[in-house]
Amino acid sequence: MKKIIFLAICLFTVGSVSAQNYYGPRHRPRRYVREEHSRRYNDNQVKVGITGGLNLANSLDAYDSRFSSSTIAAFNVGLTLDVPVTNYFSFAPELLFSQKGFSADLENSHFTERTNYIDVPLLAKFRLVPGFNFLIGPQLTFLTSQRDTYRDFGSNAETRFDGHQGDQSYVAGVVGVSFDITRNVEIRGRYNIDLSRNASNEADLPDFRNQVWQIGLGFKFQ
């Protein structure tokens, strides 16, 4: 009899555990999934990311509005950070390597300048509607290297000058938008322009301000 009672208790215990495992998920999965989904894709969490894209760079003469230059194609790549402050606003600093410059037709010659910068945008990010964001703020920009190329059409000769000018820094302004394709992928569009004048070392070159249109992709991680 004792063996039968012990066996019955064992069977009851096993049956209870099995029933809990069988019926439990029928009552808990939705809540569990929602909680797990919320933890994994919380818009209020800090997000780090990487970005890269195309630069369409040009320049404006700080003193002469008649100065005209042509756009050159370059690229940008770097790291991003998104720090939520409220549901509709976040602080979005970045660290970017960005190529800039311009080209210009001179008398019987062509001039191209390509410059490499470390840019640090310090942006305010506003979520206007789900999936669409507006960004604005200042940008610290540090010149790391420069290459000037002269092509003489008469002699068809090309002269290059490479310079390292890491001691030059400027302040720029940035405005842009971003579209969230998914929770982890976004399309970015930006316009930035120098707010301070870039004094050239060459006497015959204009004092200019970089202006850059940017488009690219960003990938965010939590």
Side-chain angles (χ1 to χ4, degrees):
M1 180 64 69
K2 292 181 179 181
K3 292 183 179 180
I4 295 175
I5 295 175
F6 177 76
L7 180 60
I9 293 174
C10 290
L11 291 175
F12 179 81
T13 302
V14 173
S16 298
V17 173
S18 300
Q20 290 178 2
N21 290 335
Y22 180 79
Y23 292 106
R26 295 178 180 271
H27 301 282
R28 295 187 301 169
R30 293 183 180 178
R31 180 180 178 183
Y32 175 79
V33 169
R34 285 198 301 268
E35 291 176 350
E36 182 68 20
H37 186 274
S38 177
R39 287 195 296 268
R40 183 176 298 178
Y41 301 112
N42 191 345
D43 288 335
N44 292 322
Q45 289 184 353
V46 175
K47 304 178 185 67
V48 298
I50 58 176
T51 184
L54 172 69
N55 281 359
L56 297 176
N58 205 331
S59 67
L60 298 175
D61 192 324
Y63 301 107
D64 185 1
S65 61
R66 297 171 299 174
F67 171 76
S68 176
S69 64
S70 300
T71 299
I72 65 170
F75 74 94
N76 67 86
V77 63
L79 303 175
T80 66
L81 185 65
D82 192 320
V83 183
V85 179
T86 70
N87 289 334
Y88 304 99
F89 168 72
S90 61
F91 175 55
E94 300 178 351
L95 179 64
L96 306 174
F97 174 79
S98 184
Q99 291 188 330
K100 306 175 187 179
F102 67 95
S103 65
D105 290 322
L106 308 176
E107 186 176 356
N108 297 322
S109 64
H110 185 77
F111 171 79
T112 302
E113 180 172 281
R114 291 186 177 273
T115 48
N116 296 325
Y117 286 86
I118 299 297
D119 288 343
V120 185
L122 303 171
L123 305 179
K125 182 177 181 180
F126 301 90
R127 179 193 286 180
L128 302 182
V129 296
F132 178 74
N133 309 289
F134 174 76
L135 300 98
I136 190 170
Q139 173 176 277
L140 306 178
T141 178
F142 305 91
L143 177 63
T144 60
S145 63
Q146 174 179 328
R147 167 172 286 189
D148 297 337
T149 304
Y150 298 88
R151 177 176 291 277
D152 190 322
F153 294 143
S155 62
N156 201 30
E158 184 174 280
T159 304
R160 293 184 177 181
F161 171 77
D162 293 327
H164 178 78
Q165 303 177 18
D167 58 339
Q168 295 190 26
S169 60
Y170 313 101
V171 177
V174 180
V175 62
V177 296
S178 66
F179 303 90
D180 296 326
I181 301 176
T182 69
R183 294 182 181 272
N184 300 105
V185 182
E186 67 176 9
I187 296 178
R188 301 151 48 93
R190 302 272 180 87
Y191 172 77
N192 64 74
I193 184 170
D194 292 344
L195 301 179
S196 55
R197 295 169 177 171
N198 302 338
S200 173
N201 291 331
E202 301 290 338
D204 58 339
L205 295 181
D207 292 320
F208 63 90
R209 304 184 187 204
N210 290 305
Q211 61 170 353
V212 184
W213 294 93
Q214 298 176 321
I215 186 171
L217 289 175
F219 301 89
K220 300 174 287 185
F221 311 96
Q222 293 186 358

